[in-house]
Amino acid sequence: MNIKEYVVGKSRLAKKASKKLSYESTLVKNKALLNMSEAILKNRNYIIEENKKDVENARKKGISPSLIDRLMLNDERIEGMAKTLKDTAALPDPIGEVTKMWKRPNGLRIGRTRVPLGVIGIIYEARPNVTVDASALCIKSGNAVILKGGSEAINSNMAIYNVISKAASEAGLEDGSIQLIDITDREAVNVMMKLNEYIDVLIPRGGAGLIKNVVKNSTVPVIETGLGNCHVYVDEDADFKMAEDIIINAKTQRPGVCNAMETLLVHKGIAAQFLPHLCDKLKHIGVEIRGCSITQKIVDGIVPAVEDDWATEYLDLILAVKVVSSIDEAMDHIYKYGTRHSEVIVTNSYANSERFLKEVDAAAVYVNASSRFTDGGQFGFGGEIGISTQKLHARGPMGLNELTTGKYIIYGSGQIRQ
Amino acid sequence: MNIKEYVVGKSRLAKKASKKLSYESTLVKNKALLNMSEAILKNRNYIIEENKKDVENARKKGISPSLIDRLMLNDERIEGMAKTLKDTAALPDPIGEVTKMWKRPNGLRIGRTRVPLGVIGIIYEARPNVTVDASALCIKSGNAVILKGGSEAINSNMAIYNVISKAASEAGLEDGSIQLIDITDREAVNVMMKLNEYIDVLIPRGGAGLIKNVVKNSTVPVIETGLGNCHVYVDEDADFKMAEDIIINAKTQRPGVCNAMETLLVHKGIAAQFLPHLCDKLKHIGVEIRGCSITQKIVDGIVPAVEDDWATEYLDLILAVKVVSSIDEAMDHIYKYGTRHSEVIVTNSYANSERFLKEVDAAAVYVNASSRFTDGGQFGFGGEIGISTQKLHARGPMGLNELTTGKYIIYGSGQIRQ
């Protein structure tokens, strides 16, 4: 098989489907989503059987248990996928919304309406649920989608794709709206990254290596997602109990995700009172603490932090701790080492909260709340295709609106330009 | 000189400046713009003298008169640049605007506020006024700017840069906010296109070759501007006089720009009555008409159109004309050959106007008005850095708002995630 021809062929079909899909009625899109949901449930045994092949292959290859866990499908996860499709049908349709409209002195009425991006390519790794999540959000927002999952999940993805694309077509959705690149050769991704003619945007979802590769090599516009070296800064004027709750939540509630906290910054004026009790609690939960020299003096048994610790997204029960002399030093540290994802100040100072909100450059900046809220669901968007850490187009959690662009519609009565 | 080190050095300075500039007060930014405006007027002789060197070099090289016209500065153009700076100071500051804010059930208040993109690279050709226009819009929107103009305008650009950057600093604007890459080697552009660390977005302004090169080779996110193969479709139900006025305006008012019309599509039901009088008028103004076979039968002395004509952005007094059998054929033609810039229907049919607005995919879709209105000034944006023909981030005329991104600000009272 010629990989390039194969990928170009699928992408051309997606582009063709995207034309009609871009103004498809909400009714048909919702019917497709509900049909897909039912079909997932109806074919659960087939999907789980196919998934077992992937899990078995992964075991044979000696792949890590955490990766196998991400790969594995069971009844609960199948039901979760069906629910995502159903929930997405219930969300408001972003397409056709006129977000603003105004009148010019010459009588022209100019409106900006939401339209789909066109064709969205999703490049992801081992989680088969992305096949469903991404399809649901793309369809609802009128976009055709090209799915390129990891080779570990190929049988699962093919099974899910077979079920949902058939269900979508039966509901009247334009054929070809969902495409799966069902070959595992990495060359397929290389071809996708250069297909500006057929793909409007690529969204890589996965680890740092995958994202870096796509950002570096794609000529198709990319939305960068996911890396989060997030900080909590405890100001001199913080409520200790509140700070402790936020830190424990941000670090330990789900340490493996991008909005979890990685480094704690504490004002020197309170470090000696605040840190010992906090560190006891964290150690009790099993968190390893790597501290600066001052932290080491204040708390016993702290692993010394090295330069690399400040720049590391552990995604694990490890926390770097640094005592700083001021909010300025805290913000400088965040500027130097942060990934512009989610940053938190805990303070009771009005002036410092305002400075932090204004001066810290990140997708989400918090006063007195856990960084774990940076999430489409928690923000109230209903669903999420990822968290953008870039500035262009979308920044922060990306829901349906972020999968759209604008079109100006102009109502005239014969106006010409002078 | 090591070109890479030089470009990286300037870009690093811009990035450094962008930090403080991102939350600079409106007062300081406006003071800088007004100072720059005055300095341009005060130093007009110096700028015009330096510009003469460029014009002389261009003449020696035998560069086309139209390019020399774009390059040349005189009192009127100097005053135009000063006015742009003054007008930009008078525009509302987009930065800090909270575009929406909502409350979650857990009591979190989440707001989206406008922040600058960071560092904007502008790659342009012979027009020295871009040096001023781009600086004005970037400064007002809190962005640092890296200017890379064409080699033909190097002396003019250096003179303008010397004047405006000094004036900006004197007004208290962060040093380094405006950077000029004052070397003419094309390698400088190659370096800029890979500087993801320091440059947040590149905006190429110029001809098709320049834009294609940047889109193809840049790993820094690009906003694509400018190419426009725009159509006017005259529906069966159109007012002839209105259609004629719109066509003449869209084709001849300024044929060399991207929102000028290039192809006319006419419904077959009216072609025989409509085209002869229109073509007479157009020929009288000096427009060459290249027509399809039906057009050739209806009107005498028409140059036969070949396949290439439908895809060509003439930017000249040439018009391609095609008779179509329906609105569907018109929209198919636009889909096949259009560049998604500006498309016009002239009709009195409510149903067809609605279909055209909904189904045609372009940055701007018009009913009964000239395509020439696709412009930041005409839309009421106050200024414009270009017209985006891409879908990501910005689409259509880009004013100050399009040079910003969002930041979520979250006000909590100790919320943690369950």
Side-chain angles (χ1 to χ4, degrees):
Chain A
M1 174 166 49
N2 180 317
I3 292 172
K4 184 168 179 189
E5 271 176 30
Y6 173 85
V7 174
V8 169
K10 293 232 160 184
S11 304
R12 195 185 286 124
L13 288 175
K15 191 74 182 181
K16 186 159 175 277
S18 76
K19 189 181 177 223
K20 175 138 181 285
L21 184 57
S22 72
Y23 50 87
E24 187 55 273
S25 75
T26 310
L27 286 176
V28 168
K29 292 190 287 188
N30 286 350
K31 197 176 156 201
L33 292 167
L34 294 174
N35 235 27
M36 289 154 76
S37 175
E38 281 169 31
I40 287 276
L41 294 176
K42 214 180 288 174
N43 294 280
R44 67 167 79 197
N45 292 336
Y46 162 58
I47 295 170
I48 289 175
E49 283 310 308
E50 292 298 306
N51 176 253
K52 276 184 184 155
K53 295 182 191 168
D54 289 331
V55 172
E56 210 165 299
N57 287 337
R59 284 214 177 98
K60 276 185 203 155
K61 281 187 195 157
I63 280 171
S64 73
S66 71
L67 204 101
I68 289 178
D69 177 63
R70 267 180 265 170
L71 181 58
M72 200 259 302
L73 292 177
N74 53 26
D75 271 339
E76 193 191 333
R77 287 183 179 180
I78 294 280
E79 279 154 24
M81 296 194 294
K83 183 171 183 301
T84 296
L85 286 158
K86 214 174 146 191
D87 290 350
T88 308
L91 291 174
D93 188 344
I95 302 306
E97 186 193 349
V98 176
T99 53
K100 50 185 174 177
M101 193 151 197
W102 64 100
K103 203 173 143 187
R104 295 291 300 155
N106 60 8
L108 282 181
R109 278 183 304 128
I110 305 179
R112 191 172 194 271
T113 178
R114 279 194 204 282
V115 295
L117 288 167
V119 177
I120 298 178
I122 313 276
I123 301 173
Y124 53 110
E125 295 180 331
R127 295 171 62 154
N129 66 305
V130 174
T131 309
V132 167
D133 295 358
S135 299
L137 290 169
C138 288
I139 295 302
K140 182 76 187 213
S141 56
N143 293 287
V145 62
I146 303 176
L147 302 156
K148 172 71 188 75
S151 56
E152 308 84 4
I154 185 72
N155 292 294
S156 317
N157 288 337
M158 282 171 69
I160 295 169
Y161 166 77
N162 289 339
V163 168
I164 62 175
S165 62
K166 185 160 171 272
S169 293
E170 281 169 3
L173 204 75
E174 190 71 4
D175 275 337
S177 298
I178 307 171
Q179 297 288 340
L180 178 77
I181 306 292
D182 56 3
I183 47 175
T184 55
D185 197 303
R186 272 157 188 264
E187 180 61 19
V189 173
N190 295 338
V191 176
M192 284 176 79
M193 291 193 291
K194 306 292 177 191
L195 278 187
N196 296 54
E197 192 181 349
Y198 299 122
I199 304 178
D200 293 284
V201 57
L202 282 181
I203 305 178
R205 286 190 55 171
L210 168 69
I211 291 167
K212 211 173 161 184
N213 175 39
V214 176
V215 170
K216 203 173 159 187
N217 295 305
S218 180
T219 56
V220 175
V222 176
I223 299 180
E224 205 175 334
T225 62
L227 300 186
N229 184 17
C230 307
H231 301 75
V232 173
Y233 166 57
V234 182
D235 196 25
E236 197 168 12
D237 209 358
D239 178 300
F240 283 13
K241 172 73 171 62
M242 184 194 285
E244 215 173 80
D245 290 347
I246 287 171
I247 291 161
I248 289 169
N249 185 259
K251 181 68 254 180
T252 71
Q253 197 245 357
R254 202 173 161 199
V257 292
C258 60
N259 59 20
M261 154 199 204
E262 305 293 2
T263 296
L264 169 66
L265 303 168
V266 179
H267 192 281
K268 66 174 179 188
I270 55 161
Q273 301 102 287
F274 178 68
L275 279 174
H277 186 257
L278 171 78
C279 291
D280 267 2
K281 277 195 133 175
L282 286 168
K283 282 180 193 167
H284 192 75
I285 305 171
V287 177
E288 176 188 328
I289 297 167
R290 302 186 184 173
C292 69
S293 56
I294 303 175
T295 308
Q296 292 168 53
K297 276 178 207 155
I298 294 170
V299 188
D300 288 337
I302 296 285
V303 182
V306 296
E307 176 67 18
D308 262 3
D309 282 300
W310 311 127
T312 301
E313 187 185 11
Y314 300 117
L315 298 172
D316 204 347
L317 287 177
I318 305 172
L319 179 69
V321 180
K322 188 182 168 74
V323 175
V324 295
S325 59
S326 63
I327 184 175
D328 293 275
E329 192 186 337
M331 292 196 295
D332 285 346
H333 183 99
I334 291 169
Y335 186 79
K336 187 168 176 192
Y337 297 104
T339 54
R340 321 274 179 260
H341 191 298
S342 299
E343 305 295 351
V344 177
I345 184 173
V346 184
T347 189
N348 199 30
S349 156
Y350 173 79
N352 285 356
S353 72
E354 287 287 299
R355 278 197 66 192
F356 198 84
L357 287 172
K358 190 172 80 169
E359 297 182 27
V360 171
D361 179 33
V365 184
Y366 294 82
V367 179
N368 296 348
S370 168
S371 58
R372 289 278 296 115
F373 288 108
T374 306
D375 172 278
Q378 295 296 323
F379 270 29
F381 297 167
E384 171 191 291
I385 200 125
I387 295 169
S388 166
T389 49
Q390 70 177 35
K391 290 180 172 175
L392 223 61
H393 186 71
R395 198 179 193 204
M398 290 186 290
L400 288 172
N401 285 350
E402 282 69 31
L403 297 179
T404 69
T405 181
K407 167 164 99 174
Y408 289 103
I409 51 175
I410 300 107
Y411 295 82
S413 49
Q415 282 84 349
I416 59 171
R417 188 156 166 192
Q418 303 304 323
Chain B
M1 174 166 50
N2 181 317
I3 292 173
K4 184 168 179 190
E5 270 176 31
Y6 173 85
V7 175
V8 169
K10 293 233 160 186
S11 304
R12 195 184 287 125
L13 287 175
K15 191 72 179 181
K16 189 159 173 277
S18 76
K19 190 181 175 224
K20 175 139 181 284
L21 184 57
S22 71
Y23 50 87
E24 187 55 273
S25 74
T26 310
L27 286 176
V28 169
K29 292 190 286 189
N30 286 349
K31 199 177 154 201
L33 291 167
L34 295 174
N35 235 27
M36 289 155 75
S37 175
E38 281 169 31
I40 287 275
L41 293 177
K42 214 180 287 172
N43 293 280
R44 66 166 81 196
N45 291 338
Y46 162 58
I47 295 170
I48 289 176
E49 282 310 309
E50 292 299 307
N51 176 253
K52 277 184 183 154
K53 295 181 190 168
D54 289 332
V55 173
E56 210 164 299
N57 287 337
R59 285 213 176 98
K60 275 183 202 154
K61 281 186 194 158
I63 280 170
S64 74
S66 73
L67 202 100
I68 288 178
D69 176 63
R70 268 181 265 170
L71 181 58
M72 199 261 299
L73 292 178
N74 53 26
D75 271 339
E76 192 190 334
R77 287 181 178 182
I78 294 279
E79 278 154 26
M81 297 196 292
K83 183 170 184 304
T84 296
L85 287 158
K86 215 175 146 191
D87 290 350
T88 308
L91 291 174
D93 188 345
I95 302 306
E97 185 193 351
V98 176
T99 52
K100 51 187 174 177
M101 192 151 199
W102 64 99
K103 204 173 141 187
R104 295 291 302 156
N106 60 8
L108 282 181
R109 278 184 302 129
I110 305 179
R112 191 172 195 270
T113 178
R114 278 194 206 282
V115 295
L117 288 167
V119 177
I120 298 177
I122 313 276
I123 300 174
Y124 53 110
E125 295 180 330
R127 294 171 61 154
N129 66 306
V130 175
T131 310
V132 167
D133 295 358
S135 300
L137 289 168
C138 288
I139 295 302
K140 182 75 188 215
S141 55
N143 293 288
V145 61
I146 303 176
L147 303 156
K148 173 70 187 78
S151 56
E152 308 83 4
I154 185 71
N155 292 295
S156 317
N157 287 338
M158 282 172 69
I160 294 168
Y161 167 75
N162 290 339
V163 168
I164 63 175
S165 64
K166 185 159 170 274
S169 292
E170 282 170 2
L173 204 77
E174 191 72 3
D175 276 336
S177 298
I178 307 171
Q179 297 287 341
L180 178 77
I181 305 293
D182 56 3
I183 46 176
T184 55
D185 197 301
R186 271 158 188 265
E187 181 60 18
V189 173
N190 295 338
V191 175
M192 285 176 78
M193 292 194 290
K194 305 292 176 189
L195 278 188
N196 296 54
E197 193 181 347
Y198 299 121
I199 304 179
D200 293 285
V201 58
L202 281 181
I203 305 178
R205 286 189 56 171
L210 168 70
I211 291 167
K212 209 172 163 186
N213 175 40
V214 176
V215 169
K216 202 172 162 189
N217 295 305
S218 181
T219 56
V220 175
V222 175
I223 299 180
E224 205 175 334
T225 62
L227 300 186
N229 185 17
C230 307
H231 301 74
V232 173
Y233 165 57
V234 182
D235 196 25
E236 196 169 12
D237 209 357
D239 177 299
F240 283 14
K241 172 74 171 62
M242 184 192 286
E244 215 173 79
D245 289 348
I246 287 171
I247 291 161
I248 289 170
N249 185 258
K251 181 67 253 179
T252 70
Q253 197 246 355
R254 203 172 160 200
V257 293
C258 60
N259 58 20
M261 154 198 205
E262 305 293 3
T263 296
L264 170 65
L265 303 168
V266 179
H267 192 283
K268 66 174 180 190
I270 54 162
Q273 301 102 291
F274 179 68
L275 278 175
H277 186 257
L278 172 77
C279 290
D280 267 1
K281 276 195 132 175
L282 286 168
K283 283 182 194 166
H284 192 74
I285 305 171
V287 178
E288 175 187 327
I289 297 167
R290 303 186 185 173
C292 69
S293 56
I294 303 176
T295 308
Q296 291 169 53
K297 276 178 208 155
I298 294 171
V299 187
D300 289 335
I302 295 285
V303 182
V306 296
E307 176 68 17
D308 261 4
D309 282 301
W310 311 127
T312 301
E313 188 185 8
Y314 299 117
L315 298 172
D316 203 349
L317 286 176
I318 305 172
L319 180 69
V321 180
K322 188 181 167 73
V323 175
V324 295
S325 58
S326 64
I327 185 175
D328 293 276
E329 192 187 337
M331 292 194 296
D332 285 346
H333 182 99
I334 291 168
Y335 186 78
K336 187 169 177 193
Y337 296 104
T339 54
R340 321 275 180 260
H341 191 298
S342 299
E343 305 295 352
V344 177
I345 184 173
V346 185
T347 189
N348 198 30
S349 155
Y350 173 78
N352 285 357
S353 72
E354 286 288 299
R355 277 197 68 193
F356 198 84
L357 288 171
K358 189 171 81 169
E359 297 182 26
V360 171
D361 179 32
V365 184
Y366 293 83
V367 179
N368 295 348
S370 168
S371 58
R372 289 278 296 117
F373 288 107
T374 305
D375 171 279
Q378 295 296 324
F379 270 30
F381 296 168
E384 171 191 293
I385 199 126
I387 295 170
S388 166
T389 49
Q390 71 177 36
K391 288 181 175 177
L392 223 61
H393 187 73
R395 197 179 193 204
M398 291 187 288
L400 288 171
N401 285 350
E402 282 69 30
L403 298 179
T404 70
T405 181
K407 168 163 99 175
Y408 289 103
I409 51 175
I410 300 108
Y411 295 83
S413 50
Q415 281 85 349
I416 59 172
R417 187 155 165 193
Q418 301 305 321

